[in-house]
Amino acid sequence: MYPPIEPYLTGNLKVSDIHTLYYEVSGNKDGTPVVFLHGGPGGAVDAPDRGFFNPEKYKIVLFDQRGCGKSTPNACIEENTTWDLVKDIEKLRELLKIDKWHVFGGSWGSTLSLAYAQTHPDRVKSLVLRGIFTLRKSELKFFYQDGASHIFPEAWDEFIAPIPEAERHDLMLAYHAQLNSADEETRMNAARAWAKWEMATSKLFVDPDYIHRVDNDAFANAFARIENHYFVNEGFMRDGQLLEKQEIDKIRHIPTIVVQGRYDVVCPATTAYALKKVFPELELQIVPDAGHSSREKGIEKLLVEATNKFADLFVGNFEIRPELPDTVHFSQELGLAGGSQDRYRA
């Protein structure tokens, strides 16, 4: 990761009668633009997120999506859909007078990156994606009903505890009722339990500090309410839409690198592999000793390598096309994933 830097520009962008987004810009004012799409939905950007990009080469744009982080109003699910967020990204691009930019997103950020790129392929220079999530019913069922529960049974017990046994056949729907309850204590208990389940399962080795993020009520409330809102509404898209051939054909020309933890139970590797099969032009890097979080060392390393490779993709009016292999790439280096390999040339 690159050393910490501070933004040289921060602002608030009103995107609807209800929502105002916080955004920031750091790095090189004249550098190649990149937009960072955070996870969740309902997460937020964090200062270390700037560290994925070389500040001498990139103009780094971060923003908090509707209802979370420093955007207002907090935890608001009204006028908050995938396609509202896609429009927001375009409004921010236009505000900053950027013609085309690199797009970087992990987990839900990978979902939003794909949705944005498929809607505006002419505005995307490259895609760097991590922990692929496409909001299919099968993916949601694995994490919120029957799948990850078999791997983290003790955390699962805490997750289902707020839900009466009679309602546990559909946990997302049961949580939806509690997260939107008129009773504040009910809402917050549900929000903490929902958020804690994801924090407890996001790393190969459970990280107590990561779990303590749920102690922040504003974070837990926004994260849980917005995430659940998107999931019970199936992402406001067709099941498997982002993987459909006609959608992938729109972005097939965009250089793309995917970094995926082998033991990711939040967004299992099967989805990244499904994306690779329909989009063979992308480079899929499977990290053998990592879970879901971008803070896993092997994932972190490969993401930085990917942004370094794409930093010089466009020089002046000339495009330098990378050679992306048609095979899955497995990186291993003395037990730490992410061996450096020169896979590109002008």
Side-chain angles (χ1 to χ4, degrees):
M1 297 283 280
Y2 285 93
I5 56 172
E6 293 299 317
Y8 63 79
L9 172 68
T10 63
N12 295 288
L13 172 62
K14 191 167 183 61
V15 290
S16 77
D17 291 340
I18 297 173
H19 291 279
T20 299
L21 306 185
Y22 165 81
Y23 69 90
E24 62 175 54
V25 188
S26 58
N28 183 346
K29 294 181 181 180
D30 300 316
T32 184
V34 61
V35 62
F36 177 96
L37 303 182
H38 67 69
V45 296
D46 195 12
D49 295 329
R50 304 168 197 144
F52 287 109
F53 313 98
N54 185 335
E56 295 182 2
K57 294 186 176 183
Y58 277 107
K59 180 177 185 177
I60 307 161
V61 181
L62 275 62
F63 74 99
D64 290 326
Q65 297 159 28
R66 294 189 183 202
C68 53
K70 297 178 183 178
S71 294
T72 58
N74 181 261
C76 179
I77 59 176
E78 189 177 350
E79 293 184 11
N80 199 336
T81 74
T82 303
W83 309 111
D84 289 320
L85 301 187
V86 167
K87 291 176 183 176
D88 293 349
I89 298 169
E90 271 298 272
K91 289 176 182 176
L92 183 58
R93 183 189 62 78
E94 292 170 355
L95 174 74
L96 297 174
K97 296 180 171 57
I98 292 170
D99 180 47
K100 297 178 71 170
W101 50 8
H102 300 275
V103 177
F104 180 110
S107 192
W108 158 254
S110 76
T111 320
L112 187 56
S113 295
L114 289 169
Y116 174 74
Q118 290 171 5
T119 306
H120 300 284
D122 56 326
R123 298 302 181 184
V124 180
K125 290 184 175 183
S126 74
L127 289 166
V128 174
L129 308 176
R130 186 264 312 167
I132 299 298
F133 177 50
T134 62
L135 258 168
R136 292 176 297 174
K137 293 176 184 177
S138 60
E139 297 169 51
L140 295 171
K141 181 181 178 182
F142 179 87
F143 191 60
Y144 290 108
Q145 197 64 46
D146 186 23
S149 56
H150 296 256
I151 304 169
F152 290 92
E154 68 278 35
W156 181 255
D157 267 354
E158 292 188 49
F159 176 63
I160 64 175
I163 307 300
E165 280 197 47
E167 300 176 24
R168 291 178 183 173
H169 63 283
D170 190 335
L171 287 162
M172 287 195 303
L173 198 58
Y175 259 102
H176 186 71
Q178 292 201 15
L179 290 168
N180 293 281
S181 169
D183 180 68
E184 183 176 358
E185 185 177 357
T186 299
R187 286 199 313 273
M188 286 311 306
N189 284 340
R192 292 186 200 101
W194 176 282
K196 187 176 182 181
W197 167 240
E198 188 160 333
M199 300 303 110
T201 55
S202 285
K203 290 191 174 183
L204 185 62
F205 295 96
V206 178
D207 183 348
D209 291 337
Y210 214 59
I211 294 174
H212 284 314
R213 294 180 71 191
V214 306
D215 296 338
N216 181 322
D217 284 354
F219 169 79
N221 191 38
F223 186 81
R225 288 194 77 226
I226 296 173
E227 201 168 63
N228 177 270
H229 162 70
Y230 272 72
F231 297 169
V232 296
N233 286 288
E234 299 175 0
F236 308 93
M237 65 181 81
R238 299 182 300 276
D239 190 39
Q241 176 177 328
L242 298 177
L243 295 171
E244 292 172 356
K245 183 180 181 300
Q246 70 268 20
E247 299 300 323
I248 294 296
D249 284 346
K250 298 173 183 176
I251 62 171
R252 205 174 293 282
H253 65 287
I254 299 174
T256 301
I257 294 176
V258 172
V259 178
Q260 175 70 44
R262 168 65 75 195
Y263 297 106
D264 186 341
V265 301
V266 181
C267 300
T270 186
T271 306
Y273 193 64
L275 178 62
K276 172 68 178 177
K277 287 201 291 187
V278 73
F279 187 3
E281 295 85 355
L282 67 77
E283 179 179 347
L284 171 59
Q285 300 182 332
I286 298 212
V287 185
D289 56 353
H292 177 68
S293 172
S294 63
R295 302 299 184 232
E296 303 267 19
K297 290 300 182 184
I299 290 177
E300 199 174 73
K301 184 178 190 297
L302 287 179
L303 289 174
V304 172
E305 287 183 6
T307 63
N308 285 344
K309 289 173 181 177
F310 284 149
D312 299 315
L313 182 59
F314 286 77
V315 180
N317 294 321
F318 296 94
E319 179 180 358
I320 301 174
R321 296 292 295 176
E323 290 187 354
L324 297 176
D326 292 334
T327 58
V328 179
H329 170 49
F330 299 86
S331 297
Q332 299 187 66
E333 185 178 293
L334 300 178
L336 175 64
S340 177
Q341 297 189 28
D342 182 9
R343 308 182 66 82
Y344 296 78
R345 64 171 182 264

